[in-house]
Each structure stands twice: as structure tokens, then as C-alpha cells.
Amino acid sequence: MKTAKYLWEIARGTEQRAMPVLSFPAVQKMQVTVKQLVESSELQAEAMETVAKATPSIAAVSLMDLSVEAQAFGASVRFSDDEVPTVTGQLVSDEEEAKALAVPSVGAGRTGVCVEAIRMAKERIQDRPVLAGVIGPYSLAGRLMDVTEIMYLCYDEPETVHLVLEKAAEFIINYGLAFREAGADGMVMAEPLAGLLSAEMSAEFSCSYVKKIIEALQTEDFAVIYHNCGNSVNNMLPEIFSSGAAAYHFGNAVDMREILDQAPADVLCMGNIDPAGQFASGTPESIREATISLLQACGNEPNFIISSGCDIPPHSKWKNIEAFFGAVEEFNHTRS
């Protein structure tokens, strides 16, 4: 599938169609725990298939589990029955440890599980693109070096940070190639930690590596969608857009209208209904209102696709998810 072309056709179509980052809430319909889900290829593929059958989402998007790649490098991960896994501790604290850090093979930790899940999902889901989920280079480096410590090291020991970033990018490229070979139509690359950087630092420590990854992976049939839910992305949009992604996905910390006002006409943008405040904690009425409001502001733009602002939490109410899609349909009826 020519994935980027498909997404642009959706955006330029006569109706709005949605692509939320929706996978984890499938645990409710499947009656399994989050821990069981993240450790099983079969369950992950089933979750994507469950969501595809239950919703008109334009793509089947895999889990946004940002602990997978760090665990492959050797980081400790805390698992929970109800919450998305989190990285604990610090694996790299100085230049010596950065030099010693080994780039793992794809298959280490749970990466093999995730690749196999995409292979299985692609066999089962034939009516829309199947997108894998990966972490971005700076966000991975932050989980290896500690998300707070890396901010100081960018100033004090930038060479050390670059050492880790080079290895992070190398692994993400290899991981993305494995997904591509498994049949994925693309991947969503989550780089939220870069949203805390200045524009200049984002260009140096994130965007340059993101661009390298995209150049290595993106083809007509494999689209890379860049995700950043940081609250400072407005200040670094030129740097972000220079990476060459097929599309750019933004979080609810920013005003989507302001993003589109700065986006060139040939840059496809997605976002940004609040996943925690609306999908998880809102009501069908509140999410309907938020969705209609966003579509009234952005829905007539030919380079916009409505989505959640980030990964929708596992405990999000299905009645809210259904209300989101219902509001998209309602908006379409008002335009017809």
C-alpha cells in the first residue's frame, strides 16, 4: 500500500475520517490485562484486529509502549496489570557507559514479540494500513540516561548524549526495517521528550536523528508518522517539519489551529483530542463537544486528519471512543 498517498487522499476527501492512536483499550473487550497484552504477539495482533472491527479508524495502529526499545538495551521496566509499562532507573550516566552501551539485535527483550504481532496483524487486517509503534531517538536516549539527567547532559556533556543517540538511531532503523519486512505499512515514531527542548536543541539532539531514521526507512509503501505531544512544539515546527515524515501527529498540549497555521500546505498534520481528559475521564457529551469544536476549527483544511492527542489509555471508556467517532460523522453530515 502506498501509505502516504492513502493518508493524503483521506485528508483531501469530502469527509473527515479519524485515526486515533487506539490499541490499549482493546484489553477491556478481550478481558486481558495490560501486562498480558504487552508480552504476547497473539494478544497484540488480536487487539489491533478488535479495534479494527469495532471502529472506522483509517489505520490499525499498534501499541505506543515506549519501554520496549529501552528494555532491549537492558533498562529495567516496571509492569502493571492496568497501566502501560514504564522504564525505571538509569542505564547510562557518563561517557564511559555510553561507549560501552551495546546496540541490541532486533528480537532482544520484547522487540521480537512486537514485530511478530505486526506480522500477524497484517495477515488479519486487510482493509486499512497496519502501523507499528516505535519510540523516537531522543526519547529513547532519555529513558536510557534518565529523562531529567539527559537535559543537563545536553549542556554539560553533549558528546555523551550524541554517543547514545547514534546507538539509539541505529537500533530504531534496524527495528523499523524488521517491521517493514514483517509487512507493516508504516510506523508511528513517538518523540515526546523532545518537546521539552528549545528549537535549537531539538534540531541538534532530536530532529537530525529523526531525519536520519526517516531517510533510512520511508518508502512509497512505508510511511513514518512523527508524533510529539510536548507543549513546546510550536517553537520548533520548522525543525520538526524538516525531518521529511509522511505526517506529523501532535498532542493536546498545543492548539491544533496554531499548528496548521504554521504548517506548509504539503505537510500533513494529525491531532489532537485529549486522551486522558476526554477519552479516559470525559463523558460522551464532553468528547462530542471537543471533537466538533476541533473539527470546526481545523476540519476543512486539506492537510488535517483528526486523531487523539496521544495513545489512548487502557482504561478509557468505550462509550467515549464511540462518541468520538460519532462526532466525526455528525460533523460530516453538517458539511453534506
Side-chain angles (χ1 to χ4, degrees):
M1 174 180 285
K2 291 178 171 52
T3 314
K5 181 181 178 183
Y6 166 86
L7 293 173
W8 272 109
E9 288 174 351
I10 296 290
R12 290 168 174 158
T14 56
E15 294 187 339
Q16 266 290 333
R17 297 176 64 192
M19 196 194 86
V21 184
L22 173 60
S23 188
F24 275 112
V27 295
Q28 299 171 47
K29 292 182 178 291
M30 296 163 60
Q31 297 187 324
V32 298
T33 67
V34 173
K35 185 175 187 296
Q36 289 172 323
L37 180 67
V38 300
E39 293 179 337
S40 167
S41 300
E42 169 62 36
L43 292 180
Q44 288 180 33
E46 183 181 340
M48 295 178 74
E49 184 181 22
T50 297
V51 171
K53 288 179 176 178
T55 75
S57 178
I58 63 171
V61 185
S62 186
L63 309 178
M64 194 177 281
D65 178 354
L66 304 189
S67 69
V68 172
E69 296 86 349
Q71 185 184 23
F73 273 89
S76 298
V77 174
R78 180 187 297 117
F79 294 90
S80 164
D81 284 345
D82 304 314
E83 300 292 336
V84 179
T86 56
V87 175
T88 62
Q90 183 179 13
L91 196 63
V92 177
S93 59
D94 55 32
E95 185 178 9
E96 185 177 331
E97 290 176 346
K99 289 179 177 177
L101 184 68
V103 178
S105 300
V106 175
R110 288 175 290 131
T111 57
V113 169
C114 295
V115 171
E116 182 59 23
I118 291 295
R119 190 186 311 278
M120 296 169 70
K122 184 62 180 174
E123 291 173 354
R124 301 178 187 185
I125 302 169
Q126 303 290 325
D127 63 343
R128 67 199 76 184
V130 171
L131 305 178
V134 303
I135 196 170
Y138 183 76
S139 298
L140 174 54
R143 280 157 178 79
L144 299 175
M145 306 180 78
D146 181 78
V147 295
T148 301
E149 187 66 20
I150 194 173
M151 297 293 290
Y152 295 107
L153 291 172
C154 284
Y155 290 102
D156 299 336
E157 298 181 35
E159 299 85 359
T160 300
V161 178
H162 282 297
L163 275 173
V164 177
L165 283 167
E166 287 287 351
K167 296 179 179 184
E170 179 182 343
F171 178 74
I172 293 167
I173 289 170
N174 293 337
Y175 195 27
L177 287 171
F179 279 127
R180 203 170 76 183
E181 290 165 7
D185 299 294
M187 69 185 200
V188 179
M189 180 164 54
E191 186 70 321
L193 195 59
L196 301 176
L197 298 171
S198 67
E200 183 178 296
M201 291 182 70
S202 174
E204 178 180 355
F205 293 103
S206 175
C207 294
S208 59
Y209 293 95
V210 167
K211 185 175 184 179
K212 178 180 179 180
I213 292 166
I214 290 171
E215 288 175 346
L217 293 175
Q218 189 159 261
T219 67
E220 275 194 343
D221 299 314
F222 189 88
V224 180
I225 298 171
Y226 172 93
H227 165 79
N228 191 327
C229 52
N231 59 7
S232 299
V233 295
N234 295 60
N235 302 322
M236 58 184 74
L237 287 175
E239 290 77 19
I240 290 173
F241 292 152
S242 72
S243 63
Y248 299 86
H249 190 279
F250 297 103
N252 55 281
V254 296
D255 185 319
M256 201 70 218
R257 182 64 260 173
E258 293 180 6
I259 296 289
L260 286 168
D261 287 343
Q262 296 184 63
D266 62 349
V267 168
L268 182 57
C269 297
M270 301 178 175
N272 66 343
I273 300 297
D274 187 346
Q278 289 295 346
F279 285 97
S281 302
T283 64
E285 293 75 22
S286 72
I287 199 168
R288 173 195 169 275
E289 183 178 339
T291 304
I292 293 292
S293 177
L294 179 59
L295 286 170
Q296 287 174 340
C298 305
N300 292 313
E301 298 296 339
N303 61 335
F304 173 71
I305 292 175
I306 192 166
S307 179
S308 54
C310 194
D311 199 15
I312 298 176
H315 59 282
S316 298
K317 305 174 186 71
W318 271 94
K319 61 182 181 180
N320 290 349
I321 295 167
E322 291 161 0
F324 165 75
F325 285 105
V328 176
E329 275 303 304
E330 181 182 342
F331 175 77
N332 287 331
H333 289 317
T334 66
R335 294 204 304 175
S336 60

